[in-house]
Amino acid sequence: MTFGATTAAASPLGNARRDDVEMTSSAAAAKYIADGCLVDGPLGRVGLELEAHCFDPADPSRRPSWSEISNVVDWLGPLPNRSAVTVEPGGAVELSGPPADGIVAAIDAMAADQAVLGSAFADSGLGLVALGADPLRPPMRVNPGLRYRAMEEFFGASHSGAAGAAMMTSTASIQVNLDAGPQSGWAARVRLAHALGPTMIAIAANSPMIGGEFSGWKSTRQRVWGQMDSARCGPILGVSADDPGTDWARYALKAPVMMVLDPDPSAVTDYVPFTDWVDGRVLLGGRRPTVADLNYHLTTLFPPVRPRRWLEIRYLDSAPGELWPAIVFTLVALLDDPVAADLAAEAVEPVATAWDIAARVGLGDRRLHTAANRCLAIAAQRVPAELTDAMQRLIVSVEAGRCPADDFSDRVIAHGIAPTVAQLAQGKS
């Protein structure tokens, strides 16, 4: 992820890590997780990760093959601002930017790399479409990676098999990575990152369709995630939410093991909480886990806010280029500006747990509409000149109770789903 290379050296675990050390108790595992989940330091750096679905404009119902997509990525070479390019299981393309000093620098760098990436795909006859869920094609994995094959097997053996397949191959998001900040403020910061979730989901919702049909939800991507096992994908906050490290450790130990490295990823098709493995009640691969196994387990957990020494905020739908800069600026301003954070916490308190309502009706809910307008007003007071136009477009849309899903739905109703997707894949807004 975007902060990895920069923050790893600052981890309190530092050189004490030994990946081959066997862990023999859940207490030791809990301490390891809690001690390493966040890094004490100043605020300010921002990393962005943007995903977009890959389509063939000439045949939007066709899913481009792994070789078609990887050929573009391989030919591309380094991007101007060093964003990494990866391909998701269903062929969605992700840009992961390195951490930048402040949100404006992060937006500028990402937008420039996104333009180069889009041009490369267009030159190959393909297009990238920023929607939270694939509106047209059924779930299908094209990335042959062994990790994704094991994930597919794990989900296929679980009660959330259909949701797991859709999550892997039919959803796309914007991820915002932020410094954890000073340790004294961790609890309030993590609480606010969660509390902002429903309001920001309502603002950014951009996935009203999946599999060729309207789902009845503004954010079908969030609905899909909500259908997943809450032990792996639900919010991490505990009862008091006063100790993020303890909350994360408890969450991670209760979560079922998805796969074991032996040495390639192998799916665990029985429900085995990590705590059962580390305490020896169940032996996977004939052994207890090592530190490396625990680290890998943590990468298979997907809560909406994930501590990885920094904060990964994972609940935003992929959004069009004219709106995503204002959306991510709003989120970062409300978290990183201390005065804005206090005001935002008050604004979103009535809807802090309304995840499903936000995904289903978005700004059609009166309380979410009120919270969204208040949050945008707070952020607008802090917006730099270069983002004024984007912020104004977002404000006008939210004041009217509209989100990107409404704009996409209107186009589909007017022109049909395949023509609309084809136009978007050709960059026609």
Side-chain angles (χ1 to χ4, degrees):
M1 295 299 180
T2 58
F3 276 31
T6 316
T7 58
S11 167
L13 299 174
N15 296 326
R17 285 184 175 172
R18 289 183 56 203
D19 285 356
D20 59 343
V21 172
E22 184 179 85
M23 308 200 83
T24 57
S25 75
S26 55
K31 185 177 189 319
Y32 179 91
I33 296 167
D35 286 351
C37 72
L38 295 173
V39 173
D40 186 16
L43 298 174
R45 292 178 309 157
V46 181
L48 299 177
E49 302 183 28
L50 271 62
E51 296 173 343
H53 302 283
C54 184
F55 282 94
D56 177 355
D59 184 3
S61 297
R62 182 181 77 86
R63 192 179 291 269
S65 68
W66 170 249
S67 61
E68 289 177 274
I69 299 169
S70 58
N71 284 344
V72 180
V73 175
D74 292 343
W75 171 84
L76 186 63
L79 292 171
N81 294 295
R82 299 181 295 112
S83 293
V85 183
T86 53
V87 182
E88 296 297 302
V93 180
E94 179 181 77
L95 270 182
S96 300
D101 291 329
I103 182 58
V104 174
I107 289 171
D108 288 346
M110 178 57 66
D113 284 355
Q114 189 180 46
V116 174
L117 183 72
S119 294
F121 273 86
D123 290 344
S124 298
L126 301 175
L128 300 177
V129 177
L131 288 166
D134 187 328
L136 187 56
R137 303 168 299 192
M140 186 178 77
R141 179 173 63 89
V142 298
N143 188 323
L146 296 178
R147 173 181 168 96
Y148 296 137
R149 185 178 68 183
M151 288 178 67
E152 188 176 62
E153 184 179 352
F154 172 87
F155 287 126
S158 74
H159 69 276
S160 57
M167 179 275 286
M168 288 178 64
T169 67
S170 299
T171 63
S173 67
I174 297 172
Q175 182 172 298
V176 179
N177 301 315
L178 300 174
D179 284 314
Q183 185 171 359
S184 60
W186 284 354
R189 185 164 171 77
V190 172
R191 280 197 300 269
L192 179 57
H194 282 81
L196 284 168
T199 299
M200 293 305 305
I201 287 169
I203 290 171
N206 190 32
S207 48
M209 301 186 72
I210 194 168
E213 298 180 348
F214 283 101
S215 67
W217 293 62
K218 300 289 187 179
S219 176
T220 306
R221 183 199 60 82
Q222 182 63 26
R223 182 196 184 194
V224 167
W225 282 94
Q227 293 172 325
M228 305 284 288
D229 185 353
S230 62
R232 168 164 272 103
C233 300
I236 68 171
L237 290 182
V239 175
S240 66
D242 288 332
D243 185 352
T246 298
D247 287 341
W248 180 228
R250 183 183 298 114
Y251 182 104
L253 291 174
K254 287 183 178 180
V257 181
M258 175 180 279
M259 53 188 122
V260 175
L261 296 174
D262 198 27
D264 294 327
S266 177
V268 177
T269 54
D270 294 321
Y271 196 97
V272 180
F274 192 90
T275 188
D276 285 359
W277 188 18
V278 74
D279 283 334
R281 286 185 286 273
V282 177
L283 298 182
L284 299 176
R287 59 179 176 79
R288 289 195 184 192
T290 63
V291 173
D293 290 315
L294 176 54
N295 287 333
Y296 194 72
H297 172 65
L298 296 177
T299 72
T300 70
L301 308 180
F302 311 113
V305 179
R306 180 165 67 172
R308 294 193 64 190
R309 301 187 296 274
W310 61 95
L311 290 183
E312 283 185 352
I313 301 173
R314 307 167 52 86
Y315 45 63
L316 297 174
D317 278 11
S318 185
E322 64 270 19
L323 287 179
W324 73 255
I327 292 171
V328 299
F329 173 82
T330 298
L331 178 60
V332 175
L334 298 180
L335 281 165
D336 278 8
D337 183 298
V339 175
D342 288 343
L343 295 171
E346 180 182 356
V348 301
E349 191 277 333
V351 291
T353 60
W355 298 88
D356 282 351
I357 296 172
R360 188 173 69 250
V361 301
L363 299 172
D365 178 85
R366 177 185 57 81
R367 297 185 307 159
L368 283 164
H369 189 232
T370 298
N373 279 293
R374 290 183 64 187
C375 284
L376 285 181
I378 295 165
Q381 293 177 348
R382 294 156 174 83
V383 71
E386 54 265 53
L387 293 177
T388 299
D389 290 345
M391 180 62 77
Q392 188 58 35
R393 281 193 294 270
L394 185 61
I395 289 172
V396 170
S397 178
V398 169
E399 285 179 345
R402 293 178 62 86
C403 60
D406 296 308
D407 297 332
F408 177 74
S409 297
D410 288 351
R411 290 183 67 166
V412 169
I413 292 168
H415 304 291
I417 180 171
T420 297
V421 171
Q423 288 180 344
L424 291 172
Q426 293 171 316
K428 298 177 180 178
S429 58

